[in-house]
Amino acid sequence: MSIRTPPTLLQLAGESLLRDQALAIAALEHLPAELFPPLFIQAYLSRSHQSLKAMAQAWPFTVLPLGSMSQLSLDEGFKAVLDGLDVLLAQKVRPRRWKLRVLDLRNLGADFWRMWCGDSTLKRSPTGRVTVHRSSPNMVHPLAPVEVFLDLNFNDRDRDELFMYVIQWAQQREGLLHLCCKTLRIGEVPFQRVRKVLDAVQLDCIQEVEVNRILDLPTLGTFAPYLGQMRNLQRLSLPHIHVLAGEEEEQEEEEWDKELQEEQESFSQFLSQMLRLHHLRELDMESPSFLRGRLDQMLRCLQTPLDKLSMTNCRRLMHSDLTHLFQCQKLRQLKSLHLFGVSLADFQPEPLGALLEAVAPTLQDLGLDNCAMVDSQVEAILTVLSRCHQLREFTISENNFSVATVGKLLRHTAGLRSLEVELYPVPLECYTTPDTINQERLALVRAELTGILRELGQPRTICLGTKHCKRCGISKFYDVEFL
């Protein structure tokens, strides 16, 4: 039998106060600011809508993080808060206690509510994120637009109604409110649903776009004009883009030519809008087969140097694409470079070495996993790798290296004092078949690598990862450490 935690005195006081909403509303004028968050939660959970409306009007903080309460939905409690704000927005002057400048509808975690409600597990100061303003009782607060932050996350159908309600609410109060949508995430939903919302919001507020569904080039072309209006976009994450592959099905030549032309026009539309992104700093691409033979065209559209580039599952890229990638001038200030599943088999290492040489002063995160690299390619970049003194994470697993090459990597990275995460491949000598590890050989190899770490004389932990098993679909990892 479990013992239920008894309610705190604060909770009991809040429950008692909310039983009489008229009394609760009258008490807000004299209620200490620190008691507003726990009372607000109780009012929200108990559906005391009139109390919520009144508390929104008397809110004594600069931020009301409503989106962090719970899974935000278009319920009566949510509408009560907006109704409370409406009352104040209609006034020429605001009450002395009302300090609200931001209504945050994003889910950023429950820290604000927890730290004000006596959660001892939080170490942060309760005034770290939201400041309590102690104004003079007679101070008059000037009118200023209230910022409303809303993430556009298209995964749940119920969110569409919420988005449109907030958008229309903000539009009807133009000049008093400024709706700012900084993040756009598109999941497995019909693109028509996304367009309906994008047509109604101010797109130049968006700073991050993440697409998590497979698109075809025509759909990407349709999305491109919206992308071009996001002039302050800093991070763009694109999914797999499906392209025509001549052998997939039999088609009339005329129909085939028409579809190819449509794809080319869509690609050109996408490139033309990429030219308008003057603040892009991070680019993530999943399986960008649509760039085969024309990656250079996209790279030329970059308007500013990137901080981060991530490309995953790019087996279909040509050697000419990789050469253009490594020679791109807009990648000369990278802090993070991730190439996973980019086939470097038979690729000369000099272009990659030149890129690493250029980014050595800034690079903090380097991933070259599952790139079909061999010993000779790694040896060609060892010297420049040892000069990446800002490097904090280095992963190069699922490649074809010998024990000797892994040992050389350990020696050349020993001087990188910022390095915290290291992932290397289980050496080839440990495999009896492509998917089978000989545990006795692995034990000997781990002992040999431990000896190298001991020889280098500094505490260090590295990890060895196996190749992705085609039968079970997983990789296994083994620690090697010297403490």
Side-chain angles (χ1 to χ4, degrees):
M1 180 177 177
S2 62
I3 300 176
R4 184 179 178 183
T5 303
T8 64
L9 289 176
L10 181 61
Q11 290 172 324
L12 292 173
E15 291 172 1
S16 176
L17 187 61
L18 290 172
R19 289 193 191 102
D20 186 341
Q21 292 201 55
L23 178 62
I25 293 170
L28 293 179
E29 177 68 18
H30 309 288
L31 193 70
E34 289 81 358
L35 297 184
F36 266 74
L39 189 62
F40 187 93
I41 291 177
Q42 286 182 275
Y44 200 97
L45 295 177
S46 63
R47 296 180 174 84
S48 301
H49 299 147
Q50 291 302 315
S51 298
L52 282 174
K53 182 177 178 179
M55 292 187 76
Q57 296 175 45
W59 194 249
F61 306 104
T62 56
V63 179
L64 175 53
L66 192 60
S68 296
M69 282 279 298
S70 60
Q71 182 64 31
L72 196 63
S73 61
L74 193 57
D75 57 19
E76 293 305 313
F78 177 75
K79 292 179 180 179
V81 174
L82 299 191
D83 288 344
L85 297 182
D86 277 340
V87 173
L88 288 169
L89 293 172
Q91 299 177 6
K92 293 184 179 180
V93 293
R94 292 172 179 166
R96 68 174 183 84
R97 296 204 69 178
W98 199 57
K99 313 297 187 299
L100 189 65
R101 292 293 179 268
V102 174
L103 174 63
D104 201 330
L105 304 181
R106 301 170 295 178
N107 186 2
L108 301 177
D111 281 4
F112 171 85
W113 302 105
R114 290 165 56 204
M115 64 191 172
W116 279 114
C117 297
D119 190 332
S120 60
T121 63
L122 283 179
K123 304 300 182 183
R124 291 165 50 183
S125 166
T127 55
R129 182 163 182 258
V130 181
T131 303
V132 180
H133 292 267
R134 310 223 178 252
S135 305
S136 166
N138 298 320
M139 179 178 291
V140 176
H141 298 281
L143 285 172
V146 174
E147 295 275 357
V148 181
F149 292 114
L150 175 68
D151 280 348
L152 300 177
N153 192 344
F154 291 92
N155 287 305
D156 185 351
R157 178 170 292 277
D158 293 339
R159 305 285 287 182
D160 293 14
E161 186 181 1
L162 172 68
F163 294 158
M164 294 309 300
Y165 187 91
V166 173
I167 291 167
Q168 292 170 4
W169 177 73
Q171 288 175 338
Q172 293 166 4
R173 292 149 186 82
E174 187 175 358
L176 301 175
L177 292 172
H178 176 238
L179 179 62
C180 185
C181 303
K182 292 190 175 183
T183 301
L184 169 64
R185 293 187 176 90
I186 304 174
E188 292 292 339
V189 297
F191 187 65
Q192 188 60 34
R193 283 175 51 191
V194 179
R195 293 182 64 178
K196 182 180 178 181
V197 174
L198 295 184
D199 285 335
V201 298
Q202 190 172 336
L203 294 176
D204 60 2
C205 285
I206 294 178
Q207 298 179 10
E208 178 178 345
V209 170
E210 183 177 312
V211 184
N212 295 310
R213 52 161 294 188
I214 295 176
L215 301 178
D216 55 24
L217 266 177
T219 304
L220 181 63
T222 302
F223 177 60
Y226 295 101
L227 187 66
Q229 295 178 60
M230 303 174 192
R231 295 184 179 86
N232 291 300
L233 190 67
Q234 298 179 22
R235 178 177 179 266
L236 174 61
S237 178
L238 290 176
H240 174 72
I241 308 295
H242 176 74
V243 292
L244 298 174
E247 66 277 5
E248 288 185 359
E249 58 183 25
E250 294 184 4
Q251 287 181 302
E252 295 291 337
E253 183 176 352
E254 182 177 345
E255 182 182 352
W256 179 254
D257 290 342
K258 181 179 179 181
E259 291 187 9
L260 285 177
Q261 181 179 358
E262 182 181 8
E263 282 201 346
Q264 182 56 45
E265 291 174 354
S266 298
F267 181 69
S268 299
Q269 174 76 307
F270 170 66
L271 292 184
S272 68
Q273 300 304 314
M274 285 288 294
L275 288 167
R276 305 179 68 179
L277 305 181
H278 292 274
H279 300 282
L280 189 65
R281 308 298 299 184
E282 299 184 16
L283 180 60
D284 299 339
M285 293 186 288
E286 169 75 23
S287 187
S289 56
F290 76 105
L291 293 174
R292 177 180 171 84
R294 50 191 182 188
L295 179 61
D296 61 319
Q297 297 180 50
M298 181 172 177
L299 295 174
R300 286 199 297 269
C301 292
L302 297 176
Q303 299 298 295
T304 54
L306 293 183
D307 289 336
K308 176 182 178 181
L309 174 67
S310 177
M311 298 179 65
T312 304
N313 299 325
C314 310
R315 296 288 184 191
R316 293 192 63 197
L317 290 182
M318 302 167 62
H319 278 194
S320 59
D321 293 320
L322 295 175
T323 300
H324 289 301
L325 177 70
F326 296 141
Q327 293 178 346
C328 178
Q329 294 300 310
K330 292 299 191 295
L331 305 183
R332 291 317 202 218
Q333 298 177 30
L334 284 175
K335 295 179 181 178
S336 176
L337 173 63
H338 269 262
L339 303 178
F340 181 88
V342 178
S343 179
L344 298 178
D346 304 320
F347 187 78
Q348 295 301 315
E350 286 76 17
L352 174 60
L355 176 60
L356 294 179
E357 185 75 52
V359 301
T362 59
L363 194 63
Q364 299 175 7
D365 187 2
L366 175 61
L368 298 172
D369 303 278
N370 194 22
C371 290
M373 298 180 71
V374 296
D375 290 347
S376 60
Q377 291 172 310
V378 172
E379 292 191 16
I381 63 172
L382 285 174
T383 301
V384 64
L385 185 63
S386 67
R387 292 199 286 268
C388 297
H389 292 288
Q390 303 301 318
L391 202 61
R392 295 193 298 231
E393 294 189 12
F394 175 48
T395 63
I396 194 168
S397 65
E398 299 190 58
N399 288 298
N400 305 310
F401 300 158
S402 64
V403 177
T405 294
V406 175
K408 291 177 183 178
L409 279 166
L410 295 183
R411 289 187 171 91
H412 278 79
T413 53
L416 306 181
R417 302 305 182 190
S418 299
L419 198 56
E420 299 173 353
V421 176
E422 300 176 69
L423 176 58
Y424 302 98
V426 169
L428 293 174
E429 290 89 339
C430 298
Y431 288 88
T432 54
T433 72
D435 290 331
T436 306
I437 295 289
N438 183 305
Q439 293 297 325
E440 291 183 0
R441 293 181 194 172
L442 177 60
L444 292 174
V445 166
R446 293 173 71 184
E448 181 179 344
L449 297 178
T450 300
I452 293 176
L453 296 181
R454 185 179 295 110
E455 173 191 330
L456 294 171
Q458 65 182 65
R460 190 173 175 187
T461 299
I462 68 167
C463 191
L464 302 178
T466 65
K467 296 177 182 178
H468 191 75
C469 180
K470 296 179 181 179
R471 291 177 299 174
C472 64
I474 61 174
S475 299
K476 295 182 179 179
F477 300 93
Y478 304 90
D479 285 340
V480 177
E481 59 185 10
F482 166 65
L483 301 177

